[in-house]
Amino acid sequence: MIRQLIYILAVIPALIVTGCSSTPVDEEVNLYTARKEHLIRPLIDIFEKDTGIKVNIVSAKTKVLIKKIIDEGETSPADLLITVDAGNLHKAKLKDITQKIESEKLNALVPQHLRDKGGHWYALSIRSRVIMYNPETIDPEDIKNYESLMASSLKGRVCIRSSSNIYNQSLLASLIYHKGEKAALEWAKGVVNNFSRPPKGNDRGQMTAVVLGECDVTLANTYYLGKWISSKKDTEKMYAKKIKVLFPNQDNRGSHINISGGFITKNAKNKNNAIKLLEFLADDKAQEIYAKQNHEYPIRKNINISDIVRSWGYPFKMDMMNLTNLGVLNDDAGKIFDIATWK
Ligand code: FE
């Protein structure tokens, strides 16, 4: 009798759930995103309207979301994760929380060097890590390459954020890829030797230090200057006028680029909808809005960019290395930073 009762109690809720699953309400996709919700919300609204698929968003920092997916295991509701930096996307793949995506559309929309060699993640926007400098104290002719930052003329004049930052790790990984470990170590040591102060703060902190005369040259991602130029804050607008962008290595391999991108989780329950969302974000309509929203670059040259971003010079020569290598060489980059005592 008790057994029968337990059986009934267990089966009834299951039947109710199954009964609901055939209704359109189930057309949904669960997006974990490390990008600010205001950046993707306008696109999600269009996607939901176009497809009838509801997107449930969970926002947090990359590390938190990746840990969450690991902890949730097979029961994780996450279908896809969107974050920044190929280094982060590759780390997620190594943690075995991603899966290979089969989509001819994505393969056509996302250039080969901007996606995982194994098909586990795809880029959705591009940013470049460029040299920013004080035009009153620096001659741009003297800082034409990343390698210029180790010149003895810049002793005590360079500020750059910590080596624990993934953007710097990926940049160093690109140097390892192109020039080998020995040259990369020499570069890191040379830059450390030119530091105006021990690394502290984020990209905007370095840019502020240039503006305030605490150093003359730094490395920062392009969109941070875009944010200053379009800012409602007077200080930021004023700061933006006192700093200039230089795209390094235009006469050789091109400026280092990185991406925002996404992957489908290993245990995705709404895999097809998740692929549809990635395809939508990579397509023309979303690309223009997405890139402009954060002053980034679209993944294809046929898409419009913001006037602010265009004012720095576009198109510029981008480093065309496959960005999978930024992830593959991330550990080596960390070791080199340690040997060079780049904190
Ligand atoms: Fe950033």
Side-chain angles (χ1 to χ4, degrees):
M1 180 64 194
I2 291 172
R3 240 186 232 174
Q4 277 170 328
L5 196 64
I6 290 171
Y7 176 76
I8 289 165
L9 287 174
V11 165
I12 288 174
L15 286 176
I16 292 167
V17 170
T18 318
C20 290
S21 69
S22 59
T23 65
V25 176
D26 278 328
E27 281 304 317
E28 61 176 5
V29 61
N30 296 311
L31 167 65
Y32 282 16
T33 174
R35 305 227 75 184
K36 301 252 159 55
E37 188 163 344
H38 75 90
L39 289 177
I40 50 168
R41 180 39 73 187
L43 297 166
I44 297 303
D45 289 346
I46 299 171
F47 176 78
E48 287 182 333
K49 217 170 143 226
D50 283 3
T51 62
I53 300 167
K54 170 134 181 38
V55 183
N56 307 308
I57 300 178
V58 175
S59 305
K61 294 211 153 123
T62 306
K63 277 184 188 160
V64 174
L65 292 174
I66 287 180
K67 188 175 179 299
K68 190 167 158 64
I69 293 172
I70 293 168
D71 291 348
E72 288 166 346
E74 281 182 20
T75 61
S76 175
D79 295 308
L80 77 162
L81 184 140
I82 292 176
T83 184
V84 296
D85 207 292
N88 281 332
L89 292 161
H90 187 80
K91 273 182 197 172
K93 184 182 172 184
L94 294 181
K95 293 209 158 98
D96 198 25
I97 55 167
T98 65
Q99 63 170 294
K100 188 173 174 8
I101 300 169
E102 305 280 358
S103 163
E104 280 183 22
K105 192 169 178 192
L106 273 178
N107 287 343
L109 289 172
V110 183
Q112 204 163 14
H113 67 291
L114 302 179
R115 50 180 148 101
D116 175 42
K117 283 179 188 168
H120 282 238
W121 49 259
Y122 286 75
L124 297 171
S125 64
I126 299 175
R127 64 275 302 283
S128 183
R129 193 154 185 75
V130 297
I131 294 176
M132 294 196 195
Y133 65 100
N134 178 350
E136 290 189 358
T137 56
I138 294 273
D139 179 352
E141 283 298 310
D142 295 337
I143 48 163
K144 287 178 84 173
N145 301 300
Y146 293 105
E147 290 83 344
S148 313
L149 299 182
M150 54 193 285
S152 56
S153 60
L154 292 179
K155 184 136 184 82
R157 302 172 71 192
V158 181
C159 52
I160 306 184
R161 73 195 287 182
S162 151
S163 65
S164 63
N165 168 248
I166 189 85
Y167 300 155
N168 281 345
Q169 293 167 10
S170 287
L171 172 65
L172 187 58
S174 80
L175 277 153
I176 299 169
Y177 177 81
H178 287 291
K179 307 187 80 175
E181 286 187 14
K182 196 166 162 266
L185 175 60
E186 257 170 51
W187 179 80
K189 280 182 177 171
V191 175
V192 169
N193 208 29
N194 284 343
F195 276 172
S196 61
R197 60 178 191 186
K200 60 168 183 180
N202 55 19
D203 278 15
R204 271 176 287 192
Q206 317 309 310
M207 291 157 62
T208 304
V210 171
V211 170
L212 299 180
E214 290 163 14
C215 58
D216 292 320
V217 58
T218 189
L219 289 173
N221 287 355
T222 35
Y223 53 87
Y224 288 112
L225 187 58
K227 280 184 190 166
W228 269 5
I229 295 171
S230 60
S231 174
K232 289 191 177 83
K233 293 179 190 158
D234 289 340
T235 334
E236 292 186 345
K237 271 192 179 145
M238 185 187 58
Y239 281 6
K241 289 183 184 142
K242 297 189 169 183
I243 197 165
K244 277 206 142 49
V245 166
L246 184 136
F247 290 96
N249 300 74
Q250 291 301 289
D251 299 330
N252 43 74
R253 65 182 181 272
S255 298
H256 169 68
I257 56 162
N258 212 315
I259 54 165
S260 75
F263 64 81
I264 311 284
T265 60
K266 190 182 175 185
N267 296 307
K269 316 287 184 297
N270 303 291
K271 186 177 165 182
N272 288 341
N273 289 347
I275 292 175
K276 274 185 202 159
L277 180 53
L278 283 181
E279 288 171 347
F280 167 80
L281 291 171
D283 213 340
D284 288 7
K285 189 159 142 191
Q287 274 297 301
E288 187 168 337
I289 304 170
Y290 187 58
K292 277 186 178 170
Q293 196 75 237
N294 193 38
H295 302 289
E296 290 182 277
Y297 296 93
I299 53 174
R300 290 180 304 283
K301 295 244 159 58
N302 65 318
I303 311 288
N304 269 326
I305 57 171
S306 83
D307 291 340
I308 289 172
V309 174
R310 191 174 294 281
S311 72
W312 305 325
Y314 186 74
F316 62 93
K317 188 173 180 187
M318 296 182 185
D319 182 346
M320 296 296 282
M321 69 179 278
N322 187 298
L323 298 187
T324 306
N325 296 300
L326 301 182
V328 173
L329 295 168
N330 181 275
D331 277 351
D332 292 346
K335 282 174 203 153
I336 288 175
F337 273 135
D338 284 347
I339 299 169
T341 67
W342 185 320
K343 281 182 196 158

